[in-house]
Amino acid sequence: MRKQIAAANWKMNCTYQQGEKLLDDILKAKPALGADQLVLFAVPFPYLIMAKSEVADEKNVQIAAQNCYHKKAGAYTGEVSAEMLDSIGIDYCIVGHSERREYFNESNQDLAEKINLLLSFDMVPVFCCGEALAVREAGQQNEWVAKQLEESLFHLSDDQIKKVVIAYEPIWAIGTGKTASAAQAQEMHAFIRSVLAKKFGQPTADQISILYGGSVKASNAAEIFAGADVDGGLVGGASLIPEEFVAIIKALK
Ligand code: PGA
């Protein structure tokens, strides 16, 4: 089975002490994970090492960075490279979250470079895609998402694309309390898989985990995750509340 993933995206929330307690509370309450299940915590840079040591004895729990820079190294004050993350033992990194695309002008081409760098260090990129409300209202969501996939992922080899995790996050559903319906999520996930299948072949596309993101919570996770092409979720707000995130973990297939 494809990996089923519950990924927490803390964004710019929590002090160090709050983050430590949040992790503790979730780890204490979470169920044992199956071989095909994975829990990810994407925490702010200053907490990566703490979080890594908190989960050191856990099975199928990993720590992710929320971003990295699209250049290898050099005079880029304030940025963090894929190599730096690799050097502290981080294996996962979110790439192209819609907030980074919007507030930091990250282009599909920048994201392709980030993905190349992460893969060169054998790290797993969690690549985010998704359309804004205006695009959905114009019925252009498929074209929009296909272009994001093409421009950031289509240069990869078969072996490389298999390492990538994709997160479909309709921007109109992020932090708004407005979730895509389970049917809308499944429809887009199936479309994403078909785009990947056309380029990389069905057997390869079938191995790629596609997560849904956008107001996932305890009350809707099981219904959304039930979609045949939905392999878990990337969770913002609800990942900061232990009972919510534990329930979301329990909803994984
Ligand atoms: P949300 O955020 O769960 O708060 O909507 C999801 C995300 O942005 O990854």
Side-chain angles (χ1 to χ4, degrees):
M1 193 168 64
R2 281 189 292 273
K3 273 242 174 317
Q4 303 296 305
I5 304 172
N9 177 10
W10 290 6
K11 309 191 180 184
M12 198 176 75
N13 291 298
C14 295
T15 62
Y16 183 94
Q17 290 76 11
Q18 290 164 342
E20 216 171 15
K21 178 159 182 344
L22 176 58
L23 262 180
D24 260 6
D25 290 348
I26 293 169
L27 293 175
K28 266 190 229 135
K30 71 154 191 55
L33 299 165
D36 293 324
Q37 295 179 326
L38 173 68
V39 171
L40 277 179
F41 293 95
V43 306
F45 289 132
Y47 312 160
L48 285 168
I49 291 177
M50 171 273 285
K52 179 94 188 144
S53 83
E54 287 274 326
V55 305
D57 296 330
E58 299 284 339
K59 251 189 107 183
N60 300 336
V61 180
Q62 295 286 339
I63 302 304
Q66 297 175 10
N67 179 40
C68 66
Y69 199 51
H70 63 277
K71 302 279 185 200
K72 194 167 190 301
Y76 302 104
T77 301
E79 293 299 331
V80 172
S81 70
E83 185 173 27
M84 291 172 184
L85 297 171
D86 177 59
S87 72
I88 57 165
I90 297 299
D91 295 325
Y92 292 79
C93 184
I94 297 176
V95 172
H97 190 281
S98 61
E99 287 148 17
R100 299 220 48 99
R101 292 176 187 263
E102 181 179 354
Y103 306 134
F104 303 94
N105 300 317
E106 294 187 357
S107 68
N108 291 338
Q109 287 71 25
D110 294 337
L111 305 179
E113 289 176 45
K114 291 185 191 212
I115 289 165
N116 291 344
L117 284 164
L118 289 165
L119 289 172
S120 77
F121 292 101
D122 216 17
M123 293 174 67
V124 176
V126 179
F127 174 74
C128 302
C129 57
E131 80 286 354
L133 185 59
V135 174
R136 164 110 1 205
E137 283 176 346
Q140 296 293 306
Q141 66 271 18
N142 287 9
E143 291 79 357
W144 181 273
V145 170
K147 188 170 184 312
Q148 291 179 321
L149 298 170
E150 273 168 38
E151 294 188 355
S152 297
L153 299 177
F154 271 25
H155 64 286
L156 298 177
S157 70
D158 244 48
D159 279 349
Q160 288 177 315
I161 190 75
K162 282 183 199 159
K163 296 202 180 111
V164 175
V165 171
I166 293 177
Y168 168 62
E169 300 204 303
I171 298 170
W172 46 272
I174 296 178
T176 57
K178 227 183 185 182
T179 324
S181 69
Q184 280 174 321
Q186 167 54 25
E187 191 183 6
M188 180 56 94
H189 283 229
F191 172 72
I192 290 172
R193 201 174 305 287
S194 76
V195 171
L196 295 170
K198 218 181 270 170
K199 170 71 185 165
F200 298 100
Q202 193 69 48
T204 296
D206 283 339
Q207 290 181 46
I208 298 171
S209 297
I210 307 176
L211 317 185
Y212 170 80
S215 300
V216 173
K217 38 188 185 278
S219 59
N220 60 22
E223 193 191 349
I224 294 171
F225 296 174
D229 290 287
V230 181
D231 305 310
L234 179 55
V235 187
S239 75
L240 301 171
I241 306 163
E243 315 81 73
E244 282 281 319
F245 194 60
V246 168
I248 291 166
I249 296 171
K250 288 182 180 159
L252 284 176
K253 285 194 282 251

